[in-house]
Amino acid sequence: MYIMETNKFKCIVCNKYYKSYKSLWNHKKKYHDIIPANIPNISPDIPNISPHIPNISPEINNDNQLNIKKINKRNCDYCNKILSSYKNLHRHQQKCKLKDNEQDKKEMKKEIAELREIVAELIKNKLNNTNSNNTNNNTNSNNTTNNNNNGTINNNYITVVPFGKENFVQVTTEKEHLFILKQDGNNVLYKCVEMKHFNEDLPQFHNYIRLNNRTDDAKIYDENVGDFKTVDKNEIIDTVIDNAELDIDEMYNLHKNKINTKQKENVRRIVDKPYSKETEQRINLMAYDYRNMVINTHKKNKKHKSIT
């Protein structure tokens, strides 16, 4: 995150700066434990601590000095797995298999019921000496159902993944991961964002767009409204870059033994160091330049009319 006077909201856990209190609050909610806290003054010289701070614990040492101890809680709330960083913890908890266990059970029961219907139909067709073409049609219907669940194109309809919930690393190949990791300089980040949000082969991730380069508006697909909603480009850019850095970090941990030392150092710089204003401008422009690709994707759906 670049630091300038306008970025006056600082996270005291990881020292990142944000343009507004809302961006800082969203950051702390995602990556750090937050609890309402109202720590009283220990002495007249110690000011009150804001209630909007990460989870910290006050201690008094022998010199009556107030020590603030950060609680580095990095274990998953669902499976108790310990992660190496807050970013990785947030990423893991979004996808933890135990998180949506009950929902998974419901979906499994629904799929079992659908499979039973398909099997019953196949048996009926066999008993009635139905020709092989009907059997193939039933099989294709089954494949279409499965593909819909994976967020792909079926019968010209695309199941769009909500912004921020893209399983980009899981649906791409090792070859694609290495292609990103071996890019020079900031192209590691730019190529990751491009291949994730503006990829002809992954239309289900076409969930981020800028329709007008002369305003501060951007649009992201929101599952709660079932359509695109307007957001401030300067606020959403933090999330776009943070999520891309998480993807790069995950790819790096998978394939770091397959890239050279220079490439490793470059990836770590991208993931660990603040990014510049120019980086923000480049990605904001990318969201505008690729607008027609995203628009065309949603014209096929004939559903998300807010951007078509």
Side-chain angles (χ1 to χ4, degrees):
M1 180 67 61
Y2 68 90
I3 300 174
M4 55 187 295
E5 290 184 1
T6 56
N7 288 0
K8 58 184 178 180
F9 296 90
K10 177 182 178 182
C11 175
I12 67 174
V13 175
C14 62
N15 296 324
K16 278 196 172 184
Y17 286 79
Y18 288 86
K19 302 179 188 66
S20 66
Y21 178 77
K22 181 179 178 182
S23 292
L24 174 60
W25 186 89
N26 287 332
H27 165 79
K28 291 191 292 185
K29 182 180 179 183
K30 288 172 62 177
Y31 299 125
H32 310 303
D33 270 346
I34 307 295
I35 60 170
N38 188 9
I39 303 174
N41 284 338
I42 305 301
S43 72
D45 298 328
I46 300 176
N48 282 324
I49 299 176
S50 169
H52 305 291
I53 59 175
N55 191 0
I56 57 176
S57 169
E59 290 184 351
I60 306 298
N61 61 22
N62 293 333
D63 299 324
N64 289 324
Q65 297 295 320
L66 177 65
N67 293 332
I68 303 298
K69 180 176 71 175
K70 298 174 186 177
I71 299 178
N72 294 321
K73 181 180 179 298
R74 295 176 182 171
N75 57 302
C76 175
D77 293 334
Y78 307 104
C79 67
N80 213 33
K81 180 178 179 180
I82 299 175
L83 282 301
S84 60
S85 67
Y86 288 111
K87 281 188 175 182
N88 289 338
L89 173 62
H90 171 68
R91 167 70 61 142
H92 168 80
Q93 287 196 152
Q94 280 187 320
K95 302 175 181 178
C96 182
K97 294 181 180 179
L98 298 183
K99 177 181 178 181
D100 300 318
N101 194 37
E102 291 301 320
Q103 181 64 26
D104 289 343
K105 288 181 180 179
K106 292 179 181 179
E107 292 181 358
M108 187 177 296
K109 289 180 180 179
K110 182 179 178 181
E111 290 180 4
I112 290 173
E114 291 176 352
L115 288 173
R116 284 176 175 169
E117 290 180 3
I118 292 171
V119 170
E121 185 67 21
L122 288 172
I123 293 173
K124 179 181 177 181
N125 289 337
K126 185 177 180 180
L127 292 175
N128 293 330
N129 295 319
T130 306
N131 60 45
S132 60
N133 288 333
N134 288 335
T135 302
N136 289 332
N137 288 337
N138 286 327
T139 303
N140 290 334
S141 177
N142 185 24
N143 290 335
T144 299
T145 302
N146 291 335
N147 286 337
N148 270 325
N149 293 331
N150 293 326
T152 53
I153 304 176
N154 298 292
N155 297 326
N156 293 324
Y157 181 81
I158 299 164
T159 304
V160 183
V161 176
F163 177 82
K165 295 189 177 182
E166 309 88 1
N167 56 335
F168 175 67
V169 178
Q170 286 69 36
V171 301
T172 43
T173 65
E174 177 181 320
K175 182 179 179 180
E176 291 170 313
H177 298 168
L178 292 174
F179 176 73
I180 292 172
L181 296 174
K182 292 180 179 181
Q183 295 290 314
D184 294 330
N186 288 341
N187 286 330
V188 173
L189 180 63
Y190 301 145
K191 189 57 66 175
C192 182
V193 173
E194 178 185 351
M195 292 177 64
K196 179 178 181 180
H197 289 291
F198 312 111
N199 189 340
E200 292 280 11
D201 295 329
L202 297 175
Q204 66 267 35
F205 297 156
H206 290 177
N207 54 17
Y208 168 51
I209 189 175
R210 290 191 61 217
L211 296 173
N212 191 330
N213 202 29
R214 297 186 298 275
T215 71
D216 287 336
D217 289 345
K219 285 180 177 287
I220 59 173
Y221 183 75
D222 188 313
E223 62 182 332
N224 293 324
V225 298
D227 204 342
F228 281 77
K229 71 176 182 180
T230 302
V231 293
D232 189 308
K233 70 170 186 180
N234 297 313
E235 300 224 356
I236 205 64
I237 196 67
D238 291 331
T239 303
V240 174
I241 296 177
D242 280 349
N243 287 345
E245 288 176 350
L246 285 170
D247 292 328
I248 293 167
D249 189 43
E250 188 173 345
M251 289 184 283
Y252 172 82
N253 290 326
L254 288 172
H255 310 299
K256 58 185 175 182
N257 60 330
K258 297 179 182 178
I259 59 177
N260 62 40
T261 301
K262 182 178 179 181
Q263 291 162 346
K264 289 179 183 178
E265 291 174 352
N266 186 52
V267 169
R268 294 321 310 170
R269 178 186 65 83
I270 294 296
V271 172
D272 298 331
K273 301 296 183 180
Y275 56 84
S276 66
K277 182 178 178 65
E278 288 71 27
T279 298
E280 287 189 352
Q281 292 173 341
R282 173 76 175 269
I283 295 177
N284 272 322
L285 184 60
M286 191 185 300
Y288 175 73
D289 289 342
Y290 282 102
R291 67 191 184 282
N292 288 332
M293 178 190 295
V294 178
I295 289 172
N296 288 335
T297 291
H298 294 280
K299 280 183 178 178
K300 295 177 183 178
N301 279 357
K302 298 180 180 178
K303 180 178 180 181
H304 308 128
K305 297 181 179 179
S306 60
I307 65 167
T308 61

